[in-house]
Amino acid sequence: MKQNTIRTNSMKAWLLAARPKTLTGAAVPVMIGTALAYTDSTEIYSFNHVAAILCFLFAFVMQINANLINDFFDYMKGTDKNEERLGPRRACAQGWITTDAMKKAIITITVAACIIGLPLTLFGGYEMILIGIICIVFCFLYTTHMSYIGLGDILVVVFFGIIPVCITYYIQTRTCTLETFIMSIASGLVTDALLIVNNFRDRDTDRNAGKNTLVVRIGPENSLKAYLYIGLTAFFMGSVFLINGRYAAFAMPAIYLVMHIITYRKMKRIYKGKALNMCLADTARNIFIYGLCVSVGLMLQ
Protein backbone atom coordinates (compact mmCIF):
# COMPACT_ATOMS: atom_id res chain seq x y z
CA MET A 1 0.00 0.00 0.00
CA LYS A 2 1.49 3.36 -1.00
CA GLN A 3 1.76 6.23 1.42
CA ASN A 4 -0.14 8.73 -0.75
CA THR A 5 -3.25 6.53 -0.87
CA ILE A 6 -3.94 7.21 2.83
CA ARG A 7 -5.03 10.70 3.86
CA THR A 8 -3.25 11.90 7.00
CA ASN A 9 -5.25 11.38 10.21
CA SER A 10 -8.21 10.01 8.25
CA MET A 11 -10.54 7.29 9.52
CA LYS A 12 -8.79 4.80 7.25
CA ALA A 13 -5.45 5.81 8.72
CA TRP A 14 -6.70 5.29 12.28
CA LEU A 15 -8.21 1.94 11.36
CA LEU A 16 -4.85 0.78 10.01
CA ALA A 17 -3.07 2.12 13.09
CA ALA A 18 -5.47 0.24 15.41
CA ARG A 19 -4.58 -3.08 13.68
CA PRO A 20 -8.02 -4.72 14.13
CA LYS A 21 -6.67 -8.14 13.13
CA THR A 22 -4.74 -8.25 16.42
CA LEU A 23 -7.97 -8.13 18.44
CA THR A 24 -8.33 -11.91 18.15
CA GLY A 25 -5.19 -12.23 20.26
CA ALA A 26 -6.78 -10.05 22.93
CA ALA A 27 -10.06 -11.97 22.75
CA VAL A 28 -8.68 -15.50 23.15
CA PRO A 29 -7.47 -15.35 26.79
CA VAL A 30 -10.69 -13.63 27.87
CA MET A 31 -12.64 -16.22 25.88
CA ILE A 32 -10.89 -19.07 27.70
CA GLY A 33 -11.30 -17.43 31.11
CA THR A 34 -14.97 -16.78 30.40
CA ALA A 35 -15.62 -20.37 29.26
CA LEU A 36 -13.90 -21.75 32.37
CA ALA A 37 -15.89 -19.42 34.64
CA TYR A 38 -19.17 -20.20 32.89
CA THR A 39 -18.74 -23.95 33.30
CA ASP A 40 -17.60 -23.54 36.92
CA SER A 41 -20.28 -21.04 37.99
CA THR A 42 -22.26 -21.87 41.11
CA GLU A 43 -25.39 -20.68 42.86
CA ILE A 44 -23.23 -18.50 45.09
CA TYR A 45 -21.33 -16.94 42.19
CA SER A 46 -23.54 -17.11 39.13
CA PHE A 47 -22.12 -16.10 35.76
CA ASN A 48 -22.52 -12.38 35.04
CA HIS A 49 -22.78 -11.42 31.38
CA VAL A 50 -22.14 -7.71 31.98
CA ALA A 51 -18.83 -8.49 33.69
CA ALA A 52 -17.86 -10.75 30.78
CA ILE A 53 -18.62 -8.03 28.23
CA LEU A 54 -16.56 -5.49 30.21
CA CYS A 55 -13.61 -7.91 30.28
CA PHE A 56 -13.74 -8.26 26.51
CA LEU A 57 -14.06 -4.50 25.97
CA PHE A 58 -11.15 -3.75 28.30
CA ALA A 59 -8.98 -6.30 26.50
CA PHE A 60 -9.87 -4.85 23.09
CA VAL A 61 -9.19 -1.25 24.12
CA MET A 62 -5.88 -2.18 25.77
CA GLN A 63 -4.81 -4.07 22.64
CA ILE A 64 -5.54 -1.04 20.45
CA ASN A 65 -3.68 1.15 22.94
CA ALA A 66 -0.68 -1.19 22.86
CA ASN A 67 -0.69 -1.04 19.06
CA LEU A 68 -0.70 2.77 19.02
CA ILE A 69 2.01 2.95 21.67
CA ASN A 70 4.11 0.47 19.70
CA ASP A 71 3.59 2.46 16.51
CA PHE A 72 4.54 5.77 18.11
CA PHE A 73 7.56 4.78 20.17
CA ASP A 74 9.10 2.48 17.56
CA TYR A 75 8.87 5.37 15.11
CA MET A 76 10.47 7.78 17.58
CA LYS A 77 13.28 5.27 18.21
CA GLY A 78 13.80 4.79 14.48
CA THR A 79 12.96 1.05 14.59
CA ASP A 80 10.31 1.25 11.85
CA LYS A 81 12.42 2.54 8.99
CA ASN A 82 10.33 2.36 5.82
CA GLU A 83 13.12 1.19 3.55
CA GLU A 84 14.06 -1.69 5.86
CA ARG A 85 10.74 -2.79 7.30
CA LEU A 86 9.55 -6.26 6.31
CA GLY A 87 6.28 -6.33 8.24
CA PRO A 88 3.04 -4.41 7.67
CA ARG A 89 3.53 -0.66 7.38
CA ARG A 90 3.11 1.47 10.49
CA ALA A 91 1.03 4.63 10.66
CA CYS A 92 3.56 7.11 12.06
CA ALA A 93 6.43 5.84 9.92
CA GLN A 94 4.25 6.12 6.79
CA GLY A 95 2.97 9.56 7.71
CA TRP A 96 -0.61 8.32 7.93
CA ILE A 97 -0.88 9.64 11.49
CA THR A 98 0.99 12.68 12.81
CA THR A 99 2.93 12.25 16.04
CA ASP A 100 0.86 14.91 17.84
CA ALA A 101 -2.37 13.17 16.87
CA MET A 102 -0.96 9.81 17.95
CA LYS A 103 0.03 11.16 21.37
CA LYS A 104 -3.48 12.56 21.90
CA ALA A 105 -5.03 9.25 20.78
CA ILE A 106 -2.88 7.27 23.22
CA ILE A 107 -3.96 9.54 26.09
CA THR A 108 -7.63 9.30 25.05
CA ILE A 109 -7.64 5.53 24.73
CA THR A 110 -5.77 5.10 28.02
CA VAL A 111 -8.50 7.12 29.72
CA ALA A 112 -11.16 5.08 27.91
CA ALA A 113 -9.57 1.86 29.20
CA CYS A 114 -9.75 3.22 32.75
CA ILE A 115 -13.41 4.14 32.33
CA ILE A 116 -14.27 0.70 30.93
CA GLY A 117 -12.25 -1.15 33.57
CA LEU A 118 -13.48 0.78 36.62
CA PRO A 119 -16.93 -0.92 36.79
CA LEU A 120 -15.12 -4.27 37.14
CA THR A 121 -14.48 -3.29 40.75
CA LEU A 122 -18.19 -3.99 41.33
CA PHE A 123 -17.57 -7.63 40.41
CA GLY A 124 -13.96 -8.28 41.38
CA GLY A 125 -13.33 -5.78 44.17
CA TYR A 126 -11.03 -2.77 44.39
CA GLU A 127 -8.02 -4.95 43.62
CA MET A 128 -9.13 -4.60 40.00
CA ILE A 129 -7.84 -1.01 40.12
CA LEU A 130 -4.33 -2.30 40.85
CA ILE A 131 -4.61 -4.85 38.04
CA GLY A 132 -5.71 -2.12 35.66
CA ILE A 133 -2.81 0.14 36.63
CA ILE A 134 -0.34 -2.72 36.11
CA CYS A 135 -1.79 -3.42 32.65
CA ILE A 136 -1.51 0.23 31.61
CA VAL A 137 2.04 0.66 32.96
CA PHE A 138 3.35 -2.44 31.22
CA CYS A 139 1.47 -1.51 28.05
CA PHE A 140 3.98 1.35 27.82
CA LEU A 141 6.98 -0.54 29.21
CA TYR A 142 6.67 -3.31 26.63
CA THR A 143 7.51 -1.10 23.65
CA THR A 144 9.67 1.48 25.39
CA HIS A 145 11.93 -0.90 27.29
CA MET A 146 11.07 -4.60 27.77
CA SER A 147 10.98 -5.63 24.11
CA TYR A 148 14.45 -4.14 23.61
CA ILE A 149 16.05 -6.34 26.25
CA GLY A 150 14.44 -9.66 25.30
CA LEU A 151 11.67 -9.67 27.92
CA GLY A 152 8.76 -9.20 25.53
CA ASP A 153 7.96 -12.91 25.50
CA ILE A 154 7.60 -13.00 29.28
CA LEU A 155 5.21 -10.06 29.15
CA VAL A 156 3.12 -11.80 26.50
CA VAL A 157 2.74 -14.89 28.71
CA VAL A 158 1.75 -12.68 31.65
CA PHE A 159 -0.53 -10.18 29.90
CA PHE A 160 -2.01 -12.43 27.20
CA GLY A 161 -2.24 -15.44 29.45
CA ILE A 162 -1.98 -15.35 33.23
CA ILE A 163 -3.64 -12.00 33.93
CA PRO A 164 -6.57 -12.00 31.46
CA VAL A 165 -7.49 -15.67 31.95
CA CYS A 166 -7.14 -15.69 35.74
CA ILE A 167 -8.70 -12.27 36.32
CA THR A 168 -11.64 -12.99 34.00
CA TYR A 169 -12.22 -16.20 35.95
CA TYR A 170 -11.76 -14.48 39.32
CA ILE A 171 -14.25 -11.72 38.51
CA GLN A 172 -16.92 -14.36 37.93
CA THR A 173 -16.07 -16.81 40.73
CA ARG A 174 -13.94 -14.88 43.26
CA THR A 175 -11.35 -17.64 43.15
CA CYS A 176 -8.74 -19.11 40.82
CA THR A 177 -8.27 -22.84 40.34
CA LEU A 178 -5.09 -24.70 39.43
CA GLU A 179 -6.78 -25.70 36.19
CA THR A 180 -7.39 -22.04 35.34
CA PHE A 181 -3.82 -21.04 36.17
CA ILE A 182 -2.33 -23.81 34.01
CA MET A 183 -4.56 -22.88 31.09
CA SER A 184 -3.65 -19.22 31.52
CA ILE A 185 0.00 -20.12 30.93
CA ALA A 186 -1.02 -22.23 27.92
CA SER A 187 -2.93 -19.25 26.51
CA GLY A 188 0.11 -17.03 26.96
CA LEU A 189 2.38 -19.53 25.22
CA VAL A 190 0.03 -19.86 22.25
CA THR A 191 -0.06 -16.08 21.88
CA ASP A 192 3.71 -15.77 22.24
CA ALA A 193 4.06 -17.74 19.00
CA LEU A 194 2.85 -14.59 17.25
CA LEU A 195 5.63 -12.54 18.81
CA ILE A 196 8.23 -15.15 17.93
CA VAL A 197 7.34 -15.25 14.24
CA ASN A 198 7.16 -11.45 14.15
CA ASN A 199 10.61 -11.11 15.70
CA PHE A 200 11.95 -13.99 13.61
CA ARG A 201 11.02 -12.03 10.49
CA ASP A 202 12.56 -8.81 11.85
CA ARG A 203 15.67 -10.33 13.45
CA ASP A 204 18.16 -8.54 11.20
CA THR A 205 16.59 -5.08 11.39
CA ASP A 206 16.00 -5.47 15.14
CA ARG A 207 19.65 -6.37 15.69
CA ASN A 208 20.75 -3.34 13.68
CA ALA A 209 18.43 -1.10 15.70
CA GLY A 210 19.76 -2.44 19.01
CA LYS A 211 16.50 -4.25 19.77
CA ASN A 212 17.70 -7.45 21.45
CA THR A 213 14.57 -9.58 21.28
CA LEU A 214 14.62 -13.20 22.37
CA VAL A 215 15.01 -14.22 18.71
CA VAL A 216 18.06 -11.97 18.35
CA ARG A 217 19.53 -13.40 21.55
CA ILE A 218 19.07 -17.12 20.84
CA GLY A 219 19.40 -17.09 17.05
CA PRO A 220 17.09 -18.22 14.22
CA GLU A 221 17.49 -22.00 14.61
CA ASN A 222 16.67 -21.99 18.33
CA SER A 223 13.83 -19.56 17.64
CA LEU A 224 12.27 -22.03 15.22
CA LYS A 225 12.49 -24.72 17.89
CA ALA A 226 10.97 -22.35 20.46
CA TYR A 227 8.07 -21.63 18.10
CA LEU A 228 7.36 -25.33 17.68
CA TYR A 229 7.77 -26.31 21.32
CA ILE A 230 5.60 -23.61 22.85
CA GLY A 231 2.69 -24.85 20.73
CA LEU A 232 3.34 -28.44 21.75
CA THR A 233 3.64 -27.42 25.40
CA ALA A 234 0.41 -25.42 25.31
CA PHE A 235 -1.48 -28.37 23.83
CA PHE A 236 -0.23 -30.89 26.38
CA MET A 237 -0.88 -28.49 29.26
CA GLY A 238 -4.52 -29.05 28.35
CA SER A 239 -4.19 -32.54 29.83
CA VAL A 240 -5.16 -30.86 33.11
CA PHE A 241 -8.74 -31.04 31.78
CA LEU A 242 -8.61 -34.84 31.95
CA ILE A 243 -8.56 -34.68 35.77
CA ASN A 244 -12.10 -33.29 35.78
CA GLY A 245 -13.31 -35.38 32.87
CA ARG A 246 -13.30 -32.51 30.40
CA TYR A 247 -12.20 -34.71 27.54
CA ALA A 248 -13.46 -32.52 24.71
CA ALA A 249 -11.57 -29.49 26.06
CA PHE A 250 -8.37 -31.53 25.88
CA ALA A 251 -9.01 -33.25 22.55
CA MET A 252 -10.39 -30.43 20.40
CA PRO A 253 -7.22 -28.28 20.48
CA ALA A 254 -5.55 -31.08 18.51
CA ILE A 255 -6.91 -29.14 15.52
CA TYR A 256 -4.78 -26.21 16.65
CA LEU A 257 -1.74 -28.42 17.11
CA VAL A 258 -1.93 -29.71 13.53
CA MET A 259 -2.24 -26.15 12.19
CA HIS A 260 0.62 -24.99 14.41
CA ILE A 261 2.95 -27.70 13.08
CA ILE A 262 1.99 -26.87 9.49
CA THR A 263 2.80 -23.19 10.13
CA TYR A 264 6.11 -24.15 11.76
CA ARG A 265 7.12 -26.10 8.65
CA LYS A 266 6.17 -23.18 6.42
CA MET A 267 8.13 -20.80 8.63
CA LYS A 268 11.17 -23.10 8.49
CA ARG A 269 10.93 -23.34 4.71
CA ILE A 270 10.57 -19.59 4.10
CA TYR A 271 13.14 -18.74 6.78
CA LYS A 272 13.45 -15.00 6.09
CA GLY A 273 11.96 -12.08 4.22
CA LYS A 274 8.53 -10.53 3.73
CA ALA A 275 7.04 -13.93 2.88
CA LEU A 276 7.09 -14.66 6.62
CA ASN A 277 4.08 -12.33 6.90
CA MET A 278 2.06 -15.33 5.69
CA CYS A 279 3.24 -17.24 8.77
CA LEU A 280 2.28 -14.27 10.92
CA ALA A 281 -1.26 -14.39 9.55
CA ASP A 282 -1.39 -18.17 9.95
CA THR A 283 -0.23 -17.91 13.55
CA ALA A 284 -2.91 -15.33 14.36
CA ARG A 285 -5.47 -17.73 12.88
CA ASN A 286 -4.03 -20.59 14.94
CA ILE A 287 -4.36 -18.59 18.16
CA PHE A 288 -8.04 -18.03 17.48
CA ILE A 289 -8.52 -21.71 16.61
CA TYR A 290 -6.93 -22.67 19.93
CA GLY A 291 -9.18 -20.36 21.95
CA LEU A 292 -12.26 -21.50 20.08
CA CYS A 293 -11.43 -25.19 20.49
CA VAL A 294 -10.77 -24.88 24.22
CA SER A 295 -13.91 -22.80 24.80
CA VAL A 296 -16.22 -25.04 22.74
CA GLY A 297 -14.66 -28.13 24.33
CA LEU A 298 -15.47 -26.77 27.78
CA MET A 299 -19.06 -26.06 26.79
CA LEU A 300 -19.44 -29.64 25.57
CA GLN A 301 -18.49 -31.22 28.89
Side-chain angles (χ1 to χ4, degrees), residues 20 41-42 64 93 148 155 201 226 241 251 262 279 282 295:
S41 59
T42 65
I64 292 172
Y148 282 80
L155 292 189
R201 179 200 62 208
F241 288 132
I262 291 172
C279 299
D282 290 349
S295 300

Side-chain angles (χ1 to χ4, degrees), residues 36 179-187 237-238 240-241 290 294:
L36 283 163
E179 180 182 60
T180 300
F181 181 70
I182 290 175
M183 290 311 300
S184 73
I185 297 175
S187 173
M237 288 180 80
V240 69
F241 288 132
Y290 178 81
V294 171

Side-chain angles (χ1 to χ4, degrees), residues 1-296:
M1 187 177 292
K2 297 180 181 180
Q3 181 176 342
N4 59 12
T5 63
I6 307 296
R7 187 163 53 87
T8 303
N9 296 339
S10 63
M11 286 297 296
K12 186 175 182 180
W14 284 112
L15 181 64
L16 290 169
R19 307 180 209 170
K21 291 181 180 180
T22 64
L23 295 183
T24 56
V28 164
V30 178
M31 186 191 306
I32 292 173
T34 299
L36 283 163
Y38 184 81
T39 54
D40 288 352
S41 59
T42 65
E43 292 182 2
I44 298 176
Y45 291 110
S46 58
F47 186 83
N48 190 294
H49 290 82
V50 173
I53 292 171
L54 287 173
C55 285
F56 276 106
L57 287 176
F58 182 77
F60 290 155
V61 172
M62 286 301 298
Q63 179 63 58
I64 292 172
N65 206 25
N67 292 339
L68 299 186
I69 291 168
N70 176 259
D71 196 306
F72 176 77
F73 283 101
D74 274 356
Y75 171 70
M76 298 303 290
K77 285 176 176 284
T79 306
D80 288 339
K81 295 179 180 178
N82 286 334
E83 66 274 12
E84 298 178 3
R85 183 168 179 81
L86 298 175
R89 299 301 181 185
R90 294 294 174 244
C92 284
Q94 288 291 105
W96 298 337
I97 304 292
T98 63
T99 54
D100 285 342
M102 187 65 83
K103 284 189 284 188
K104 291 176 182 177
I106 290 170
I107 293 171
T108 301
I109 294 179
T110 300
V111 172
C114 294
I115 293 172
I116 292 170
L118 191 60
L120 288 173
T121 58
L122 300 174
F123 307 99
Y126 288 109
E127 54 265 43
M128 294 301 105
I129 294 176
L130 177 60
I131 296 297
I133 292 172
I134 291 173
C135 288
I136 290 171
V137 168
F138 278 92
C139 190
F140 283 88
L141 286 180
Y142 170 79
T143 292
T144 59
H145 186 63
M146 298 297 193
S147 63
Y148 282 80
I149 58 176
L151 295 179
D153 299 84
I154 293 176
L155 292 189
V156 168
V157 173
V158 172
F159 289 96
F160 285 86
I162 295 173
I163 287 181
V165 175
C166 292
I167 296 302
T168 298
Y169 186 88
Y170 177 82
I171 284 171
Q172 297 287 353
T173 65
R174 286 303 185 96
T175 189
C176 185
T177 63
L178 177 62
E179 180 182 60
T180 300
F181 181 70
I182 290 175
M183 290 311 300
S184 73
I185 297 175
S187 173
L189 291 175
V190 166
T191 308
D192 188 47
L194 193 65
L195 182 61
I196 290 178
V197 68
N198 182 79
N199 291 342
F200 183 81
R201 179 200 62 208
D202 295 339
R203 60 189 183 273
D204 293 331
T205 53
D206 283 345
R207 185 185 299 107
N208 294 336
K211 188 174 184 179
N212 295 312
T213 63
L214 179 65
V215 171
V216 171
R217 288 178 179 274
I218 68 176
E221 293 302 323
N222 286 328
S223 298
L224 283 170
K225 293 177 183 177
Y227 181 89
L228 174 64
Y229 292 148
I230 62 172
L232 292 170
T233 301
F235 171 75
F236 285 109
M237 288 180 80
S239 60
V240 69
F241 288 132
L242 300 178
I243 298 173
N244 296 322
R246 294 173 161 175
Y247 304 115
F250 169 70
M252 287 190 67
I255 300 172
Y256 155 79
L257 185 59
V258 171
M259 301 304 294
H260 177 75
I261 293 172
I262 291 172
T263 304
Y264 159 74
R265 290 177 175 173
K266 181 188 293 187
M267 184 176 166
K268 189 175 182 179
R269 184 177 67 254
I270 296 173
Y271 201 72
K272 67 186 310 180
K274 288 188 177 183
L276 283 168
N277 287 325
M278 293 187 292
C279 299
L280 194 69
D282 290 349
T283 301
R285 175 206 61 202
N286 297 345
I287 294 170
F288 182 72
I289 289 173
Y290 178 81
L292 190 63
C293 286
V294 171
S295 300
V296 171

